[in-house]
Amino acid sequence: MTTIRLLIVEDDRKIAEIQRRFVERLENVDLCGIAHTLADARDQIEILAPDLILLDVYFPDGSGLELLRELRAEDSGSDIILITAAKEVETLRSALRGGVFDYILKPLVFERLQEAVNRYREHMARLSSLHHVAQKEVDALLPRTSSEGVQSTDQRLPKGIDALTLDKIRAVMASGRHLSAEEVGAAIGASRTTARRYLEYLVGTEELSAEVTYGTVGRPERRYCAATPSS
């Protein structure tokens, strides 16, 4: 299995440390550097040529989106996962136009990062194995080009999400309580990891909201509840 060389670009040193610990838990991922400024990031990218960059948006010396645009203009071989607190639609649009591989909202949880890196690994392996490109290979690499208008509800759901389990999660969350992934998993007879995958999907579709709380031993815990309708 090919090792992914990864660079963290994050100005907040505490958050960068959390990301470092998460990355070190990932299999076949080599953390090649940590940059706390865009200037430092540019130097490290030029020297280290990472495969994948975890990039924030807000920096004292500029915007991570500027760095993203620079890398694309230079036809850089480094791919980007944006990890940010920025929830503005225009920021998301700019990131998508810049070709980010994924967009993850803070606070970052390990399972979401692990999912993104695993999808990146699968994507690169599929791309590397191609000798000739046919439409079906293009569709597999770019799932957003599939004909969603003629697909069933189950087919429109992302890989790893099925409608039956999703309905069970929705039923549990309809109680209005703030629940952890472990509590939801126990309620539907699934693992914490499985429950978290579905809960994060529902956060992404804005059906649920999430917040980080701290338990008695100080460990951060992500808890979920029904999203409050915007006025």
Side-chain angles (χ1 to χ4, degrees):
M1 185 180 294
T2 304
T3 297
I4 296 171
R5 301 180 69 256
L6 185 147
L7 174 69
I8 293 171
V9 184
E10 167 62 62
D11 68 308
D12 188 309
R13 293 178 181 271
K14 291 183 179 179
I15 294 177
E17 173 62 18
I18 291 172
Q19 292 184 9
R20 182 192 68 80
R21 295 184 186 188
F22 283 175
V23 168
E24 289 185 346
R25 291 169 59 186
L26 298 171
E27 295 183 2
N28 298 105
V29 176
D30 174 30
L31 178 62
C32 61
I34 300 176
H36 298 298
T37 67
L38 292 177
D40 189 18
R42 291 182 179 99
D43 288 340
Q44 292 200 42
I45 292 168
E46 181 180 357
I47 296 168
L48 301 173
D51 302 308
L52 187 61
I53 301 169
L54 305 186
L55 178 64
D56 192 11
V57 171
Y58 303 119
F59 289 87
D61 58 338
S63 167
L65 295 174
E66 296 172 6
L67 178 60
L68 172 64
R69 287 190 285 269
E70 290 173 16
L71 293 175
R72 291 297 162 258
E74 297 166 1
D75 196 25
S76 168
S78 298
D79 288 303
I80 306 291
I81 293 178
L82 218 59
I83 300 180
T84 178
K87 296 183 179 180
E88 298 85 0
V89 174
E90 188 51 43
T91 301
L92 176 59
R93 286 198 186 106
S94 296
L96 294 175
R97 285 195 295 266
V100 293
F101 182 80
D102 204 344
Y103 190 103
I104 303 177
L105 291 175
K106 293 177 180 178
L108 177 65
V109 293
F110 173 73
E111 288 82 0
R112 181 65 178 85
L113 176 62
Q114 183 180 46
E115 176 194 355
V117 172
N118 285 343
R119 285 195 296 106
Y120 176 73
R121 189 193 309 280
E122 293 169 2
H123 175 84
M124 295 306 295
R126 189 181 298 120
L127 192 59
S128 298
S129 68
L130 290 179
H131 300 290
H132 302 283
V133 178
Q135 189 62 54
K136 65 178 181 178
E137 281 79 23
V138 175
D139 290 344
L141 288 165
L142 303 174
R144 64 182 178 274
T145 64
S146 62
S147 302
E148 292 186 354
V150 298
Q151 290 180 327
S152 68
T153 301
D154 274 353
Q155 289 174 314
R156 286 199 302 268
L157 293 172
K159 183 179 179 181
I161 303 290
D162 72 84
L164 183 61
T165 305
L166 195 60
D167 286 343
K168 291 180 181 179
I169 298 277
R170 286 180 173 128
V172 172
M173 298 309 300
S175 66
R177 293 182 295 160
H178 289 66
L179 300 173
S180 67
E182 186 172 2
E183 291 168 334
V184 173
I188 68 169
S191 68
R192 177 173 61 89
T193 301
T194 296
R196 186 185 295 278
R197 183 168 69 248
Y198 282 82
L199 289 165
E200 290 296 333
Y201 170 75
L202 291 172
V203 170
T205 60
E206 299 186 348
E207 289 186 55
L208 299 180
S209 60
E211 61 182 21
V212 174
T213 60
Y214 291 85
T216 55
V217 294
R219 284 190 63 185
E221 181 180 55
R222 197 160 163 90
R223 302 188 76 83
Y224 303 83
C225 65
T228 303
S230 57
S231 55

